[in-house]
Amino acid sequence: MTELPDTGLALHSTIRKGDSGGGTVELALVPVPVADPGPEEVVIRVEAAPINPSDLGVLFGPADVTTVRGAEGEHGPAILADIPDGLARLVAGRLGQAIPTGNEGAGVVVAAGSSARAQALMGLVVAVLGGSMYAEYRLAEAKRCLVLPEGTTPAEGASCFVNPLTALGMVETMRLEGHAALVHTAAASNLGQMLQKICTADDVPLVNIVRRAEHEELLRDLGAEHVVNSSSDTFMADLITALAETGATLGFDATGGGKLAGQILTAMEAALSANAPEFNRYGSATLKQVYIYGGLDRSQTVLTRNFGMAWGLGGWLLPHFLQRIGPEASDRLRQRVAAEIKTTFASSYAKTVTLREALDPAAVAVYAKQATGEKYLVTPHG
Ligand SMILES: NC(=O)c1ccc[n+]([C@@H]2O[C@H](COP(=O)([O-])OP(=O)(O)OC[C@H]3O[C@@H](n4cnc5c(N)ncnc54)[C@H](OP(=O)(O)O)[C@@H]3O)[C@@H](O)[C@H]2O)c1
């Protein structure tokens, strides 16, 4: 067993409430004990962990990221950002607590408990989902570690769960709920690119919605047949045509705010009624479903209900989906991700940063934009 240090650095986020219902969030590096593993546990030296939109939610909560500034924490460099008045109540459950951050990542097993399962992982590159990955060391249950195929680096395997399983989950949800094709928004995202590759491989018709011309090109280069641009004057007409051609009645919307989810339902209804044999005053009887699965647009969700009476709008979250399909089916998806981690599920990063560099306000200004191709990878050991 490698000699472990007594402590390792970890990135924690703490929200404190101010007088007017606003407050501040502090991100700081803190030394945390590196515990010896129990019989069924291992210690992972974390080598790479992505900064995904869901991580930004934990890191900054409802803070306005344009107010990020450097500060001095108890144990070294830190940053602060302001939470607008009235919004601290949204995170009442975590006020004053230092929350470990980093949903997923990969590293090398450097210490293992006495059980055969834990011992078998010694020295291997593994990926883990479950928080506390922006840290130099992470204690994990051996059964939660996904062993990456030989020759896979931690950087290649860092984004093994959140986006790959969600993209696969969309296609599985489509099958489970009896739809034949999909619509996806913010489609040039890291996840959107994986979804396009899955749909090409599995022969699933997919309508991609982007908001910039260069992203239409990006997706077509990946093999996309249907890409529509929400900034175009012909957006609704283009969307209706693509929906009529594909028969998509299930949508996944990453924006959540504004009109987009409602526009998809409207366009689905228009596509269905254009093909209907006769007029029905209640609209098409075919269920049109949109799941909001992200919050890229924080404004109100606006619906103009001109899509008949057979429709649904709901939330979709990866852990709920995995619970729904059960451990065996979840494991099947995980094994597909591991096998295709360098192809279908390959992620790319604009930059790698150490834990300290992740606290540079200039770096935050880039990675918190959640823009296409601007994802950062944290490499705790540099
Ligand atoms: N529910 C779940 O279980 C679950 C699991 C995994 C991921 N997600 C969600 O999946 C989404 C994609 O994640 P990712 O890691 O793939 O993201 P990413 O690579 O960081 O890309 C974000 C994308 O969102 C677009 N975008 C940002 N703000 C937007 C807005 N206001 N309106 C329209 N588009 C906007 C960006 O396009 P521009 O370049 O045009 O800005 C970019 O293409 C996120 O919303 C994330 O929260 C949800």
Side-chain angles (χ1 to χ4, degrees):
M1 201 179 289
T2 321
E3 192 63 35
L4 290 178
D6 294 336
T7 62
L9 287 176
L11 178 52
H12 286 181
S13 163
T14 310
I15 291 182
R16 299 184 181 87
K17 197 172 168 194
D19 293 337
S20 49
T24 54
V25 61
E26 182 191 42
L27 302 191
L29 293 180
V30 291
V32 294
V34 180
D36 284 333
E40 291 290 347
E41 292 175 330
V42 297
V43 175
I44 300 165
R45 183 182 139 105
V46 181
E47 302 288 355
I51 305 180
N52 286 322
S54 50
D55 295 305
L56 294 170
V58 181
L59 287 166
F60 294 101
D64 174 356
V65 289
T66 62
T67 64
V68 166
R69 57 207 177 267
E72 214 30 61
E74 207 180 318
H75 305 283
I79 49 177
L80 290 174
D82 296 328
I83 294 176
D85 289 352
L87 293 193
R89 69 182 155 74
L90 297 177
V91 284
R94 57 170 284 190
L95 290 176
Q97 299 168 44
I99 306 280
T101 56
N103 276 332
E104 67 178 337
V108 178
V109 174
V110 290
S114 56
S115 72
R117 177 157 42 188
Q119 283 293 317
L121 296 178
M122 196 60 200
L124 298 185
V125 176
V126 297
V128 174
L129 170 73
S132 310
M133 295 307 285
Y134 299 151
E136 290 179 323
Y137 295 90
R138 163 77 151 82
L139 191 67
E141 281 181 274
K143 68 178 178 196
R144 301 238 172 264
C145 296
L146 179 68
V147 177
L148 295 171
E150 217 181 311
T152 309
T153 65
E156 287 169 331
S159 297
C160 237
F161 299 96
V162 178
N163 284 343
L165 292 177
T166 299
L168 284 171
M170 291 175 179
V171 177
E172 292 293 314
T173 302
M174 178 198 82
R175 294 185 179 121
L176 278 172
E177 299 185 2
H179 299 270
L182 288 170
V183 191
H184 186 224
T185 72
S189 66
N190 176 263
L191 188 156
Q193 295 179 41
M194 292 177 188
L195 181 64
Q196 180 56 59
K197 289 189 242 173
I198 297 166
C199 287
T200 303
D202 294 10
D203 216 6
V204 173
L206 170 67
V207 177
N208 295 285
I209 301 178
V210 296
R211 60 176 180 175
R212 297 179 210 279
E214 63 265 32
H215 297 156
E216 294 180 48
E217 213 48 50
L218 186 158
L219 286 165
R220 287 193 205 285
D221 286 348
L222 289 179
E225 271 185 52
H226 303 279
V227 191
V228 296
N229 188 333
S230 58
S231 306
S232 156
D233 292 342
T234 56
F235 170 55
M236 281 307 279
D238 296 343
L239 183 58
I240 292 166
T241 304
L243 294 175
E245 280 175 17
T246 55
T249 47
L250 178 63
F252 283 90
D253 176 28
T255 69
K259 294 192 288 187
L260 196 50
Q263 285 176 313
I264 295 170
L265 290 169
T266 300
M268 284 175 177
E269 178 62 22
L272 286 164
S273 49
N275 294 331
E278 62 186 37
F279 172 72
N280 182 335
R281 59 190 285 212
Y282 298 114
S284 157
T286 304
L287 177 67
K288 300 158 289 289
Q289 176 73 43
V290 172
Y291 288 117
I292 291 178
Y293 81 102
L296 294 167
D297 178 342
R298 290 199 194 181
S299 68
Q300 276 190 346
T301 310
V302 180
L303 295 182
T304 303
R305 286 181 298 99
N306 54 5
F307 31 73
M309 295 302 279
W311 59 276
L313 182 66
W316 193 100
L317 195 69
L318 177 62
H320 299 173
F321 165 75
L322 293 178
Q323 203 163 18
R324 176 183 180 188
I325 62 170
E328 232 167 80
S330 300
D331 197 51
R332 183 171 46 77
L333 300 184
R334 267 191 277 271
Q335 295 310 327
R336 177 170 178 186
V337 175
E340 299 174 33
I341 193 62
K342 293 192 190 189
T343 52
T344 318
F345 303 107
S347 291
S348 58
Y349 306 96
K351 199 168 177 181
T352 47
V353 285
T354 62
L355 288 168
R356 268 174 215 285
E357 288 164 349
L359 295 184
D360 177 352
V364 176
V366 180
Y367 68 69
K369 268 194 303 190
Q370 306 177 102
T372 305
E374 297 281 17
K375 198 181 286 299
Y376 275 27
L377 184 71
V378 178
T379 52
H381 298 274

